Each structure stands twice: as C-alpha cells, then as structure tokens.
Amino acid sequence: MDAKLRLDAIGRTLVLALQENARASYAELGRLVGLSPPAVAERVKRLEDQGIVKGFRAEIDRGRLGYSLSAFVRLRCRADRFPAVEEFARSVPEVVECHEVAGEDAYVFKVVARSIQHLDETLLRLAAFGATTSSMILSSPVANRVLAPTGD
C-alpha cells in the first residue's frame, strides 16, 4: 500500500476545489489559493504525478442515456474464478463498478440497465460465476461525496 502523501493548505484546497468542479480554470483556482495560473497548473500536475488526482471525468445522468435502473449485485464465487469475473466486469458496459470485498461475498458490482429484462439478462450472465444477490437502487441520497484530505 502506498504511504499517505502529506498536503499543505494549498494542496488540500485544490483537491477540494477540483472535486467540486474539475472544469475550474487555473485562473479560478489561482484566485482561490492566491497563486498565479502557471503556479496552479504546476501544483495540479504535481497532484496528478503523485497519484492524488487520478483523472478528470464528466458526471453523466445515466437515466438520460437510457439506463433507468441501477442495482448492487453481490457475488459469491470460488477464488479460482476471480480472474474470469474481473475480465467479465471489465468487458461488460453495464457493470459500472466492481469491487472485490472481504466477507461472505467475493465481489460487489454496481450495474445499470435499460429495463428489468435487461437487468435480468445481466444478472444471469453474472450467475454463471456463482451465487448472486441483487438490490435495486431506489435513490441515492449521498453520491459522489467531496472528500476533504485528512490533516494528519
């Protein structure tokens, strides 16, 4: 596991600001932290090089793209199936998250679907690896929370 990197006050402010608005210009960020745009660009580049900022992505409304259903799916399977499960997860666009977990289940997936039938088809494909349990997501009162870097 990588050692935790220490951030100064400017680094912490930039990490928060980028989570809230990854499209903020270097000039906007500079006004926020009291640095010139080139200095901010260098600081953001350093955050990327350190692996703190892993990328910049657009937040998409999947429902407007036709994926009106979301579910969490837990999978129990033997360890020898892990490589095939992970390859499956990487290759199926309906799997938007895949997490290997400790406990009775081996994996937790977040999947999206256009309909109940489409969800059922995805669940059947996952069931080829082991026993599944699914929970339909009704709402997400907390999603994509902005995290403040720890101060220690």
Side-chain angles (χ1 to χ4, degrees), residues 34-65:
L35 295 176
S36 68
V40 169
E42 176 56 36
R43 293 293 294 253
V44 170
K45 173 84 168 83
R46 193 175 327 145
L47 291 169
E48 290 178 272
D49 291 345
Q50 292 172 328
I52 295 170
V53 173
K54 293 173 60 173
F56 299 89
R57 292 170 186 80
E59 188 174 335
I60 303 298
D61 183 333
R62 293 182 177 120
R64 291 187 180 264
L65 294 178

Side-chain angles (χ1 to χ4, degrees), residues 16-89:
L16 281 170
L18 288 169
Q19 287 179 85
E20 291 172 0
N21 180 9
R23 294 182 65 177
S25 69
Y26 292 139
E28 291 173 277
L29 295 170
R31 284 190 291 279
L32 184 64
V33 297
L35 295 176
S36 68
V40 169
E42 176 56 36
R43 293 293 294 253
V44 170
K45 173 84 168 83
R46 193 175 327 145
L47 291 169
E48 290 178 272
D49 291 345
Q50 292 172 328
I52 295 170
V53 173
K54 293 173 60 173
F56 299 89
R57 292 170 186 80
E59 188 174 335
I60 303 298
D61 183 333
R62 293 182 177 120
R64 291 187 180 264
L65 294 178
Y67 295 94
S68 58
L69 302 176
S70 298
F72 288 112
V73 180
R74 299 187 323 267
L75 173 68
R76 288 185 189 182
C77 67
R78 298 185 327 259
D80 66 337
R81 302 300 315 258
F82 287 11
V85 168
E86 292 174 13
E87 179 56 35
F88 172 85

Side-chain angles (χ1 to χ4, degrees), residues 78-151:
R78 298 185 327 259
D80 66 337
R81 302 300 315 258
F82 287 11
V85 168
E86 292 174 13
E87 179 56 35
F88 172 85
R90 283 189 286 273
S91 68
V92 174
E94 291 85 357
V95 175
V96 296
E97 292 182 26
C98 172
H99 307 275
E100 183 181 350
V101 297
E104 292 182 12
D105 300 313
Y107 290 92
V108 174
F109 303 90
K110 183 175 183 182
V111 300
V112 296
R114 296 181 303 275
S115 64
I116 293 291
Q117 180 180 350
H118 184 213
L119 177 60
D120 188 47
E121 291 166 3
T122 304
L123 293 174
L124 286 172
R125 293 174 69 194
L126 271 169
F129 299 102
T132 63
T133 305
S134 59
S135 299
M136 186 84 67
I137 298 172
L138 301 177
S139 70
S140 299
V142 177
N144 301 316
R145 181 186 303 262
V146 171
L147 290 176
T150 59

